[in-house]
Amino acid sequence: MSLTDSAAVDVARSASLASRRLAILPNAARNEALTALHHALDTNREIILAANAKDLEIATRAAESGSLNHSVLKRLDLSRPGKYDDMLDGILSVRDLDDPIGKVSLRTLLDDGLTLERISCPIGVLLIIFEARPEVIANIAALAIKSGNAAILKGGKESMESFAAIAKVVSEAIASSQVPVSSIQLVKTRDAVSSLLAQDSLIDLVIPRGSNELVRFVKDNTKIPVLGHADGLCSAYIHADADIDTAVKVIVDSKTDYPAACNSLECLLVHEDTLDSVFPAVATALLDKGVSLRCDAASRSALAKTLPAEKVAQIQLATETDYNTEFLDLVLAVKTIPSSGSRTSAVEAAIAHINAHSSKHTDLILTQSQEAANMFTSGIDSAGVFWNASTRFADGMRFGFGTEVGISTNKIHSRGPVGLEGLTIYKYLIRGNGHGAADYHDGVGGRKYLHTKLPTGQ
Amino acid sequence: MSLTDSAAVDVARSASLASRRLAILPNAARNEALTALHHALDTNREIILAANAKDLEIATRAAESGSLNHSVLKRLDLSRPGKYDDMLDGILSVRDLDDPIGKVSLRTLLDDGLTLERISCPIGVLLIIFEARPEVIANIAALAIKSGNAAILKGGKESMESFAAIAKVVSEAIASSQVPVSSIQLVKTRDAVSSLLAQDSLIDLVIPRGSNELVRFVKDNTKIPVLGHADGLCSAYIHADADIDTAVKVIVDSKTDYPAACNSLECLLVHEDTLDSVFPAVATALLDKGVSLRCDAASRSALAKTLPAEKVAQIQLATETDYNTEFLDLVLAVKTIPSSGSRTSAVEAAIAHINAHSSKHTDLILTQSQEAANMFTSGIDSAGVFWNASTRFADGMRFGFGTEVGISTNKIHSRGPVGLEGLTIYKYLIRGNGHGAADYHDGVGGRKYLHTKLPTGQ
């Protein structure tokens, strides 16, 4: 589908209309559509993998000529062992989650026969823009249908053939169900993005899944709320009383488990008192894993005392830029937090550095002190605040959400790993019996509100 | 304070720093600041009312010369009976609400010694832009402090003197408490607005309180999320089986209780089958209250059969524009929903009209049928969906929220009347014991996530 502005309006309007019909479908009807989707993707596996092979062929040539990153190639490949089955399983696990719609989170008796309820409902129309990963289509389609939202999906050029093949299968599967066909629409061409981003009266939420550049482009070019994160600049702070084994284990995992992930560690703050104890052990473990350290003067001097000279020679001095950089690689910036003043003032200094430099994704403290941990977790302005556990746990699957739409560094609506719940909002439902507000005006109406809290039944 | 861009950065930055210190203050400390605020505003009543009198004098002259709306004059007047005391009481009632911060809404045991919690926390920095009502300062300051958010308040020129006097009292009161002084900052001059709206990296949420024009200006001129509503175009649908007394009572209240309010009725949809029964009774009651009706041909003809000719002569024929107009006055647009097809298809037609024309504020169905009500309340895409009760109940006080920041027609974060809860978000807190994610990778780490739901203790 090639999109002009008017075509984008048509896509968005049909999605909006579909979303209203989808909003009144019961959970069973939404689940049936997911079963049909699963079956269709299973049945058409060979066709889809053949299309994916074409994408891979083009991408491999591009990677060989240096015009495409090798990691894109890996993300594009649906034929890797287990990947296709994981995609299929994901649909069923979303299907089997509790219905996120119709949940009552507040119920108040306003007066006899006048009841207020706050009930979860779909947001409306989602626009999902992604790059290489073709399995995102199945994943997002499942989450959107389960949560009663219509979704417009826009794929990247690298996955064009896979996308077209999956799109055809998805559309046919949905057509066989009660879910309106326009609930899931797949658009391809490049110029579609700006036209779609302009539909702020019809599209309720944009979710970009891809590079930092993609997310920034989307945020800079739309008035529609954007859910996601551009950067994942995660920091760890080793407090004066940190346990050495815990620190080594957690820091090494945070930095080296998967350096290209947004929840990997990029900056390490070390309390001055640990420079000759905990820090050298952590640094040695990191260097052994091939991590390049970019240290400030104090932390580098501390390592110079304990490490062999050839290792110290490899340690670069950090620049200010390093503390604002998401390396996404085996590189870590290190900064010393002075011990001057009380121990709590060191925690405050660490909090101040992190709040000024981090991307509000996930930050970590290593300490044995409940007080220091409490200060850190309430003072840090990030979606995830972790105590003695790896930043790599910041993930919807690991959190037990089943699957995730993405990780949000927004300050409103949804923060951190966003699952089904983040695709819902609520409405206020009042049931009355001919009640008017004039009857309650002080001194005029005479009636008083009861405002009795009722059980929500959940 | 006159604001250039760099001054706006200073205000926003100091608010951001204050917000982080405010975030770690316990409820008791925030409550003490509210007690101090209440005391200071009570003690300085005469000074503030004298300043308000100056604003009123200027505004009265402006109103007499026709350059200011008389309703602004009324909103500006703090000396109206009960108004100052209501403002003071409001601070104490916010103080006495449950602490909205630190509430645990999810607790999961990920593995032995590895716990995940979702905990409510402040959003950060709020920017509140308002026009005439000076009591908004006390109201918003109380809500912001209670919810642990810093707030920058920007008043309109009509309330300049009142604003300056209240600002001085508020600052002094807060300075006597543990709440950082920069938590509540009051800025006055006109040119400040665009500079502040540009601080999207430091300000987390904008709340405009005032005219539709103000809200639209704010929405069009910032990348910061905006909470509020430009229009309140509320509709009611009289279904075929509506009870006549209920319909009369609810429609008259919705339209005439306070026509200038955003939750007043602006459009009435009538099922064709009620044109000779329920509708004439409703129309007569409305006409008796001085409401001008703008009817489509079918509904006007129906009235022509029952009403005296001189009344019918006063009824205008509706234009398409009338169905998109928030009259904020004793004017009501009326449209007939044809009875062709089934009764549910009429409900669908009403839903389609409302979703296409309403402002997603509050919409109402009058029916005796549970099935029709369910269709309507799930199909209508608005913050409030009411059944047999007046749209005028859409209000934070009436909902039992204590007080409200405003009414939101957004599709994400907060919808409808927004109280303290709408000024909070959450963060994910993980407590571990040296846990790394690598230990859990399938087939490699070997450990499995438990994902055991734990009670949240609430």
Side-chain angles (χ1 to χ4, degrees), chain B residues 34-50:
Chain B
L34 295 190
T35 306
L37 181 62
H38 176 267
H39 178 73
L41 286 171
D42 194 16
T43 313
N44 290 282
R45 183 190 296 247
E46 296 312 320
I47 295 169
I48 291 168
L49 287 178

Side-chain angles (χ1 to χ4, degrees), chain B residues 71 75 255-264 266 326-330 392:
Chain B
S71 64
R75 286 200 289 271
K255 180 69 244 180
T256 69
D257 183 46
Y258 185 26
C262 63
N263 57 13
S264 288
E266 305 292 8
E326 187 185 14
F327 299 109
L328 293 171
D329 204 347
L330 288 173
R392 290 276 297 140

Side-chain angles (χ1 to χ4, degrees), chain B residues 10 94 166 210 229 238 267 288 314 415 418:
Chain B
D10 290 346
V94 169
I166 297 177
H229 65 277
I238 303 180
C267 177
D288 287 349
Q314 289 169 25
R415 257 186 141 179
V418 179

Side-chain angles (χ1 to χ4, degrees), chain A residues 219-281:
Chain A
K219 290 200 178 203
D220 288 345
N221 287 282
T222 188
K223 299 173 80 174
I224 308 170
V226 179
L227 193 150
H229 66 278
D231 299 301
L233 209 162
C234 304
S235 299
Y237 166 56
I238 302 181
H239 192 45
D241 66 356
D243 175 69
I244 190 161
D245 292 339
T246 304
V248 170
K249 173 80 190 278
V250 170
I251 300 289
V252 168
D253 189 86
S254 297
K255 180 68 243 180
T256 70
D257 184 45
Y258 185 29
C262 62
N263 57 11
S264 287
L265 192 68
E266 305 291 8
C267 176
L268 178 64
L269 305 176
V270 289
H271 191 286
E272 190 179 349
D273 293 357
T274 71
L275 283 182
D276 299 321
S277 53
V278 182
F279 175 58

Side-chain angles (χ1 to χ4, degrees), chain A residues 435-438, chain B residues 232-236 247-268 282-283 285-287 289-294 322 325-334 364 366 389-393:
Chain A
H435 292 75
Chain B
L233 209 163
C234 304
S235 300
V248 170
K249 174 79 190 282
V250 169
I251 299 289
V252 168
D253 189 87
S254 297
K255 180 69 244 180
T256 69
D257 183 46
Y258 185 26
C262 63
N263 57 13
S264 288
L265 192 68
E266 305 292 8
C267 177
L268 178 64
V282 169
L286 288 168
L287 292 165
K289 288 272 191 174
V291 176
S292 303
L293 299 179
R294 305 214 177 150
D322 290 324
T325 301
E326 187 185 14
F327 299 109
L328 293 171
D329 204 347
L330 288 173
V331 180
L332 184 68
V334 180
L364 158 68
L366 291 145
S390 170
T391 55
R392 290 276 297 140
F393 286 113

Side-chain angles (χ1 to χ4, degrees), chain A residues 46-86:
Chain A
E46 296 312 319
I47 295 168
I48 291 169
L49 287 178
N52 186 240
K54 287 188 204 162
D55 283 332
L56 273 175
E57 201 186 309
I58 297 167
T60 306
R61 281 202 300 272
E64 281 164 2
S65 75
S67 65
L68 188 83
N69 195 305
H70 275 276
S71 64
V72 175
L73 206 58
K74 196 172 155 193
R75 286 201 289 274
L76 191 59
D77 186 359
L78 268 180
S79 66
R80 284 197 293 154
K83 196 163 178 182
Y84 202 93
D85 287 322
D86 284 352

